[in-house]
Amino acid sequence: MIQTQHTPAPPLTPAIAWRQALQTKLMDALDAAWAIIERSVDPAEIREALDRAKAIGAIAIMGRKVALLEPTPRTTPAKAEHAPRALEKLKGGRRGRL
């Protein structure tokens, strides 16, 4: 049996909460526009719904750009990585000699 490790979800930062809220609003607006397109036979109403869908897409693109401005969280290196580096410093940078 193969076991996979479950990685915990990242903490909910204000930026992540903002992205999720924006995505929910955009999806609801797009669903509403799609419903108008499906049920309507009036070309003017369909055109207006299509224009609204295009505007939703433009907002989504800008939202993605804003979301990418958030710096990625840095992880601290494990203590196991410090030991070899410290040993190399003690060696004076020469390999294989103490």
Side-chain angles (χ1 to χ4, degrees):
M1 183 169 123
I2 299 174
Q3 293 181 355
T4 59
Q5 293 181 349
H6 176 70
T7 56
L12 191 63
T13 64
I16 293 173
W18 177 82
R19 283 190 304 228
Q20 290 176 349
L22 179 66
Q23 184 177 9
T24 302
K25 288 178 186 178
L26 292 174
M27 288 172 51
D28 291 343
L30 192 58
D31 287 342
W34 189 262
I36 291 171
I37 293 169
E38 284 183 333
R39 70 171 163 73
S40 180
V41 292
D42 181 20
E45 191 176 22
I46 292 173
R47 192 173 320 113
E48 184 180 332
L50 288 173
D51 289 342
R52 187 174 294 154
K54 287 179 186 178
I56 292 167
I59 292 170
I61 291 169
M62 291 305 295
R64 180 178 171 89
K65 289 179 182 179
V66 169
L68 290 174
L69 292 175
E70 181 188 19
T72 57
R74 294 185 179 186
T75 59
T76 57
K79 290 184 179 180
E81 294 177 16
H82 288 293
R85 289 181 188 166
L87 185 59
E88 284 296 320
K89 285 183 181 178
L90 288 174
K91 291 180 182 179
R94 296 185 212 149
R95 292 184 174 217
R97 295 185 184 176
L98 286 175

